[in-house]
Amino acid sequence: MNPENAWLLAAIPAGMFFVLAFYGRYMPRGGDYLGVASTGTAWVLMIAVAAYFLGHRDGLGPWTTSTEWSDVGAMRVELGLFIDPMTILMFGVVTTVALMVNIFSIGYMKGEPRYYWFFALLQLFAAAMLMLVMSDNLLLLLVSWELVGVCSFLLIGFYWEKRSAAEAAKKAFITTRTGDIGLMIGIILLWKGAGTFNIQEIIHHAEEGGYSQTYLFVACMALFLGAMGKSAQVPFHVWLPDAMEGPTPVSALIHAATMVVAGVYLTARMLPVFEVADGMLLVVTCVGLTTAVLTGFMALAQTDIKKVLAYSTVGQLGFMFVALGAGSPGVAMFHLMTHAFFKALLFLGSGSVIHATHHNQEMDKLGGLWKKMPITGTTFFIGSVALAGLPPLAGFWSKDEIFVTLNDKWGAWAVVLLGFSAVMTAFYTTRLFIRTFLGAPRDHHVYEHTHESNLFMTFPLMFLAVLAIGAGWVVFGGFAEGLGFPGGITEFIFIPHHGPHEYHFDAGWATASLAMGVIGVFTGAYLYWGNKIDKSTALARWQPGVYDMLRNKLYFDEMYQYGIDKALLGFSFVVSWFDRYVVNDTGVDGSAQVTGYAGSVMKYIQTGKVPNYAMGIALGVVGLTVAGLVVRG
């Protein structure tokens, strides 16, 4: 299919949203089959667009189209599509995960209230995300960006009857909107300097020195705040773990594989501009490293299986930003792809566990489930190995290449910090798998009533498991060429003036990367294999303060709440007092009251009696005479 018809990938799910939103409640099974058909069609069209692009591209040149949307004075806005290798990759990730989530939801959401509405929102989200990644300008990207945020708010708060879900939805909305303020400021600054919203024209303007260094750094920093908010980077990370209040398929689609990587995609797309702004790549690297390390600590003490995966997601997003800070968008997008598949697998696997155990997601009530759920357990094991970064699964190859590029750009200090995070990732992933699927059951009632999930839920797990095993091999030129690519994925996605990055297997770095994963896995197995409660709780007994700090997520939520209570609400009280007593009582009511009081006093002068007026005239003459004499001296 010609790329000029790529808009259909977003138009079909968007149209299906309106069909399901208005008529889904009257359809058999809420029209879930239409949702699957919609994303399935988008998936097929994605393959057709990718095949045409790869077969007819001129080198690796992008395909573009634009239409004039507005021309008012000096502000001329054109909206269009931009299809390049990065767009093709995002098409594949979004449509594949969306299709698997739609199929999984048929089994997971069966019998839920507002079943049709859930599928309608899935279509709207897919449409918004697809439009976001194919936008050729920042204005259309912003509209799609905000629509993705609205879908996230509605899906996190899907169970709005639960106060925790409603609060989580508001928290996500407010936190990401805080970052989006920066995004809007950044877009305005870049437009003001270049006179256009077109991304490629802005990049060209920046590379030609059209912005001053200070101006460009401020604009890029504002833009990056939006990326940090959407991709849950510290200090905006607090919304993502709470977003697990939404249905588990939502966690897999929005909060593991697609929406949260929008910030990574935006940074990768604008990376040529970031490179021109002195110091911006170091900022991106430091944010990614800080996020990867801190959220690794937070995940160590979590007992909710979805929250462990949520902190893992935030940490892996930090890995992607580290790759971008090293100036390697191809490596970052490679990890984005592999992470999308194995993390969607893990989230859907956790959904299978939750569904099969009748909504139990605390590890303290699980254990020994592999015997009861062989398909879920096996696929979850595959996803866990990929997340831990062990070969030959997908996560190993993308993680290994991040370390290579990071060392080339920033050196040992950054590698050591990221390596520490990689060890923690392997550790808490092992802990999660052992406490959920191995050992003796901790709650026999839960264990006895557990069963394997139905085919609607296990098929997506098996499909994603295959991708978690094989997706990493696209980094090798020979394997990728067999799929029609011009070379490995890092040769397919690159910044033009950098040139393609050809992957070379480095035995030293591969050994170091493997060692990080093995250390984390063996430490986790030593502490948790065979229900070794005494060993696993030794740290908590030795340093209860440290354990409480990790369990309470380094008290970020408490710090924010304290700031809100003491600073924000205090400032709000001052504003409220000023508005009530100065603006309203003095400025508005006060002027009216002065007029009324003056009238009530002055009315006594108008008595209607001639003697009184004569007396007033006489007193006035006397007063004027006295004043004249005083003035004359």
Side-chain angles (χ1 to χ4, degrees):
M1 187 177 75
N2 195 309
E4 68 183 16
N5 296 318
W7 60 272
L8 290 172
L9 272 76
I12 292 173
M16 191 57 65
F17 161 74
F18 290 104
V19 172
L20 293 177
F22 289 108
Y23 304 108
R25 70 180 70 194
Y26 308 113
M27 295 179 179
R29 292 172 28 201
D32 55 6
Y33 47 90
L34 293 179
V36 173
S38 171
T39 49
T41 302
W43 187 75
V44 172
L45 292 178
M46 173 274 298
I47 295 176
V49 170
Y52 188 95
F53 182 85
L54 292 171
H56 297 80
R57 71 190 187 284
D58 179 15
L60 288 177
W63 181 90
T64 62
T65 182
S66 61
T67 302
E68 183 176 290
W69 184 70
S70 174
D71 189 358
V72 179
M75 186 173 178
R76 185 170 183 268
V77 180
E78 291 186 349
L79 303 182
L81 308 182
F82 184 84
I83 312 297
D84 71 341
M86 193 181 299
T87 310
I88 296 294
L89 177 68
M90 291 301 297
F91 279 169
V93 169
V94 174
T95 57
T96 300
V97 176
L99 177 58
M100 292 301 105
V101 166
N102 272 267
I103 296 173
F104 184 89
S105 298
I106 295 176
Y108 186 87
M109 297 297 292
K110 183 179 180 180
E112 291 284 357
R114 302 180 297 278
Y115 181 73
Y116 75 95
W117 177 239
F118 179 81
F119 277 88
L121 289 177
L122 292 184
Q123 311 318 305
L124 181 62
F125 171 80
M129 192 68 199
L130 288 167
M131 183 54 66
L132 188 155
V133 301
M134 72 173 85
S135 301
D136 75 336
N137 66 92
L138 292 175
L139 193 60
L140 183 58
L141 184 145
L142 178 63
V143 173
S144 304
W145 183 282
E146 296 302 331
L147 186 56
V148 164
V150 170
C151 293
S152 175
F153 171 78
L154 294 173
L155 286 167
I156 295 172
F158 182 77
Y159 299 122
W160 52 265
E161 302 91 343
K162 292 172 55 181
R163 180 174 177 82
S164 58
E167 293 294 332
K170 289 190 291 184
K171 185 176 184 179
F173 194 80
I174 293 172
T175 305
T176 54
R177 291 296 79 72
T178 302
D180 288 353
I181 294 173
L183 176 64
M184 294 182 67
I185 293 173
I187 290 174
I188 292 170
L189 290 175
L190 291 175
W191 164 78
K192 187 176 184 298
T196 178
F197 289 104
N198 186 277
I199 294 173
Q200 300 308 311
E201 293 178 9
I202 289 173
I203 292 174
H204 179 73
H205 187 75
E207 291 177 336
E208 292 296 316
Y211 300 100
S212 69
Q213 275 299 317
T214 302
Y215 186 94
L216 186 60
F217 181 84
V218 171
C220 289
M221 193 66 226
L223 204 71
F224 187 54
L225 286 176
M228 290 172 62
K230 192 70 79 179
S231 292
Q233 297 297 283
V234 172
F236 299 106
H237 68 284
V238 293
W239 70 266
L240 187 57
D242 286 7
M244 297 303 108
E245 289 289 341
T248 302
V250 173
S251 303
L253 176 64
I254 295 183
H255 308 122
T258 49
M259 187 197 88
V260 290
V261 300
V264 176
Y265 168 80
L266 175 63
T267 306
R269 179 64 74 194
M270 301 299 296
L271 196 63
V273 180
F274 282 38
E275 287 187 317
V276 178
D278 290 342
M280 199 60 220
L281 290 187
L282 181 60
V283 171
V284 175
T285 302
C286 290
V287 168
L289 286 173
T290 301
T291 301
V293 173
L294 291 185
T295 55
F297 278 117
M298 296 176 197
L300 296 177
Q302 303 304 310
T303 57
D304 185 312
I305 58 177
K306 287 178 64 177
K307 287 196 174 182
V308 173
L309 294 175
Y311 280 112
S312 166
T313 297
V314 179
Q316 294 303 304
L317 291 168
F319 274 68
M320 299 173 206
F321 277 109
V322 166
L324 291 171
S328 300
V331 176
M333 297 304 291
F334 177 36
H335 193 59
L336 183 154
M337 179 190 68
T338 59
H339 172 263
F341 295 143
F342 66 70
K343 187 54 65 65
L345 167 61
L346 289 170
F347 265 112
L348 292 183
S350 69
S352 180
V353 170
I354 294 168
H355 185 268
T357 58
H358 306 285
H359 301 285
N360 284 289
Q361 57 194 74
E362 287 288 332
M363 286 185 278
D364 295 339
K365 294 186 177 181
L366 304 175
L369 296 184
W370 203 344
K371 294 179 181 179
K372 288 279 191 173
M373 308 178 69
I375 297 177
T376 300
T378 301
T379 55
F380 201 96
F381 174 76
I382 292 171
S384 298
V385 174
L387 175 58
L390 298 179
L393 273 70
F396 171 78
W397 305 110
S398 55
K399 182 190 73 172
D400 175 63
E401 198 62 8
I402 290 175
F403 281 107
V404 173
T405 57
L406 182 62
N407 181 66
D408 292 342
K409 178 69 176 180
W410 298 114
W413 68 272
V415 171
V416 170
L417 288 174
L418 196 65
F420 186 59
S421 175
V423 172
M424 287 192 291
T425 300
F427 173 81
Y428 64 66
T429 302
T430 303
R431 169 179 176 263
L432 170 63
F433 182 78
I434 290 175
R435 297 199 67 192
T436 303
F437 290 98
L438 301 181
R442 295 174 186 80
D443 189 318
H444 287 278
H445 177 75
V446 171
Y447 179 80
E448 292 300 327
H449 290 81
T450 298
H451 55 83
E452 183 59 274
S453 300
N454 58 48
L455 184 61
F456 283 116
M457 299 170 69
T458 54
F459 170 76
L461 299 181
M462 293 183 286
F463 185 89
L464 290 169
V466 172
L467 294 178
I469 294 171
W473 293 91
V474 297
V475 76
F476 296 101
F479 184 87
E481 288 170 5
L483 298 175
F485 292 93
I489 189 169
T490 54
E491 300 175 64
F492 183 56
I493 300 175
F494 60 90
I495 297 176
H497 64 266
H498 279 203
H501 170 81
E502 186 176 355
Y503 175 78
H504 295 286
F505 182 78
D506 188 310
W509 278 109
T511 303
S513 181
L514 173 61
M516 297 172 197
V518 169
I519 291 172
V521 169
F522 272 87
T523 305
Y526 173 76
L527 292 176
Y528 293 99
W529 188 279
N531 297 321
K532 297 175 182 177
I533 302 300
D534 291 339
K535 290 183 178 180
S536 63
T537 58
L539 177 61
R541 294 198 305 268
W542 176 53
Q543 289 290 339
V546 173
Y547 177 78
D548 289 342
M549 183 172 63
L550 297 180
R551 185 68 186 270
N552 289 286
K553 301 160 284 189
L554 303 183
Y555 298 108
F556 267 92
D557 288 317
E558 287 76 8
M559 286 189 291
Y560 281 140
Q561 192 63 55
Y562 181 85
I564 291 171
D565 292 342
K566 301 300 181 181
L568 186 60
L569 293 182
F571 179 71
S572 299
F573 174 80
V574 173
V575 172
S576 176
W577 182 90
F578 183 84
D579 177 70
R580 176 70 177 85
Y581 293 102
V582 177
V583 176
N584 188 67
D585 289 357
T586 303
V588 180
D589 293 347
S591 60
Q593 291 172 353
V594 167
T595 302
Y597 177 77
S600 65
V601 172
M602 296 294 289
K603 70 181 181 180
Y604 293 109
I605 300 175
Q606 303 296 327
T607 62
K609 298 179 179 179
V610 175
N612 292 347
Y613 297 152
M615 179 62 72
I617 293 172
L619 292 176
V621 171
V622 172
L624 290 173
T625 302
V626 172
L629 293 174
V630 171
V631 170
R632 291 177 62 186

